[in-house]
Amino acid sequence: MDVAETHRTRLLILGAGPAGYTAAIYAARAGLEPILVAGLQPGGQLTITTDVENFPGFATAVQGPWLMDQMRAQAEHVGTRIIQDVVTSVELAARPFRALGDSGDAYECSAMVIATGAQARWLGIPGEKELSGFGVSACATCDGFFFRGKEVAVIGGGNSAVEEALYLAGLASKVTLIHRRDSLRAERIMQERLFKHPKISIIWNTVVEEALATEGQFRALRALKLRDLLGGGHYELPVHGMFVAIGHDPATGLFRGQLKTDEDGYIVTEPGSARTSIPGVFAAGDVQDRIYRQAVTAAGSGCMAALDAEKWLAHIPDDAPSPAAYDSVSV
């Protein structure tokens, strides 16, 4: 039977996506000897992404899981200690900050970087999960390039859905926006742009009930099974791509009530920094970015978090009793 341990470090990083790994690389190179707790999905959303063509440094597409493996290897190479565990609770009221893992191990740190990411909301329909990366996506900016000259559908009615539809209209031959209601929630000016676009059509009062695949060994999306909410009828819409745009959920449940978050649960950081409402706690990546949500922006904010943490730790002695005592420290 394994005995629970307490791991102590100057900097603890929660999350193993582009933000967490980049923070670890910068922190390790600065001599902070960080510990990174990988979490439930090491590698983040890129582990379910097939071809990645928009991450700088690669002339041809690379696989998302491979890219994450490379980031992990780089973080370990420069001195990061990576632990496979899932943090179930955190205590941020006093230093050292403390986190408890599902393994029973505890983690104590002088500073913390939160990079736990966010997850796209999905419809939960048959075929959606199986065809993820093969015609089904939750990110037009990431995957729209693969649907140039093809017909696609966008699911949703808010700003995100309208933005996705307008973006895809510059690539696809036709975009169909499918919404369960008879009006959109998006801002009026965005709706006007949508309605005027010659490549975009809208299907109102309709839900998607199934993502249908092609036959054969290499299956891909061929059509959507739709249900008319007013008439009750079912029919198929042939498309090559379905983009789900019904929102994201940041993985911030552990921190609510301790850190300042916005109305949707994203951690609030000071403009131009990774600093949160608690001195010594920093946030990076999709957990605090509700706008861009790209691997490269997550990596950039991970760099910011590590640099902010390094600067903060240089001003705070390791035996400092409480973060509240340092509210006035400017770094």
Side-chain angles (χ1 to χ4, degrees):
M1 182 175 178
D2 294 334
V3 178
E5 297 182 55
T6 297
H7 307 275
R8 295 179 175 86
T9 179
R10 296 189 71 197
L11 180 64
L12 180 66
I13 300 168
L14 304 183
Y21 282 143
T22 304
I25 290 165
Y26 273 80
R29 294 185 74 251
L32 298 181
E33 299 181 339
I35 289 177
L36 184 150
V37 180
L40 195 61
Q41 187 180 9
Q45 295 187 64
L46 279 186
T47 59
I48 58 172
T49 303
T50 51
D51 291 341
V52 178
E53 289 193 328
N54 57 3
F55 198 89
F58 304 98
T60 58
V62 298
Q63 297 294 297
W66 177 86
L67 182 58
M68 289 297 90
D69 286 343
Q70 295 300 300
M71 288 191 187
R72 176 193 173 101
Q74 185 178 4
E76 288 183 312
H77 176 72
V78 294
T80 303
R81 182 183 176 195
I82 298 176
I83 298 177
Q84 301 300 319
D85 200 356
V86 177
V87 170
T88 57
S89 65
V90 294
E91 299 172 10
L92 303 178
R95 295 178 68 247
F97 304 125
R98 183 175 172 87
L100 183 65
D102 184 64
S103 65
D105 286 6
Y107 304 87
E108 293 184 352
C109 60
S110 300
M112 180 183 295
V113 171
I114 299 169
T116 47
Q119 297 293 328
R121 295 177 193 152
W122 295 96
L123 299 173
I125 59 173
E128 182 181 49
K129 183 177 180 180
E130 295 80 0
L131 293 172
S132 178
F134 299 94
V136 174
S137 173
C139 180
T141 310
C142 309
D143 300 324
F145 178 82
F146 302 109
F147 298 90
R148 289 173 299 171
K150 298 180 179 181
E151 296 189 9
V152 301
V154 175
I155 318 303
N159 282 343
S160 294
V162 173
E163 288 172 357
E164 300 266 280
L166 289 168
Y167 175 82
L168 288 165
L171 299 167
S173 61
K174 180 182 178 181
V175 179
T176 302
L177 182 72
I178 302 170
H179 187 39
R180 62 169 48 245
R181 298 183 177 86
D182 60 1
S183 62
L184 301 175
R185 302 185 310 277
E187 296 173 4
R188 180 61 57 184
I189 189 170
M190 295 180 63
Q191 292 191 42
E192 291 173 357
R193 290 179 58 203
L194 183 86
F195 297 148
K196 291 178 181 177
H197 203 291
K199 284 189 179 182
I200 301 175
S201 62
I202 304 175
I203 299 178
W204 303 102
N205 300 303
T206 299
V207 295
V208 182
E209 291 200 331
E210 187 175 356
L212 304 173
T214 56
E215 299 294 333
Q217 181 179 359
F218 301 103
R219 305 182 70 189
L221 181 70
R222 67 169 179 84
L224 303 179
K225 181 180 179 182
L226 306 182
R227 177 166 61 93
D228 183 341
L229 293 176
L230 298 182
H234 291 81
Y235 62 99
E236 291 186 12
L237 176 71
V239 291
H240 293 95
M242 177 181 81
F243 292 84
V244 181
I246 56 175
H248 285 73
D249 294 313
T252 53
L254 292 172
F255 316 105
R256 286 176 189 157
Q258 300 188 72
L259 284 173
K260 182 179 179 181
T261 59
D262 67 13
E263 64 276 11
D264 293 318
Y266 288 86
I267 294 175
V268 175
T269 53
E270 294 180 23
S273 82
R275 294 190 291 270
T276 71
S277 57
I278 295 180
V281 179
F282 307 88
D286 289 4
V287 78
Q288 54 84 44
D289 174 16
R290 61 183 301 149
I291 299 174
Y292 300 104
R293 295 193 297 266
Q294 300 296 302
V296 68
T297 52
S301 66
C303 166
M304 293 169 59
L307 295 177
D308 284 349
E310 179 191 5
K311 191 180 294 186
W312 190 83
L313 286 166
H315 288 75
I316 305 300
D318 286 340
D319 59 352
S322 169
Y326 299 96
D327 286 345
S328 64
V329 173
S330 177
V331 291

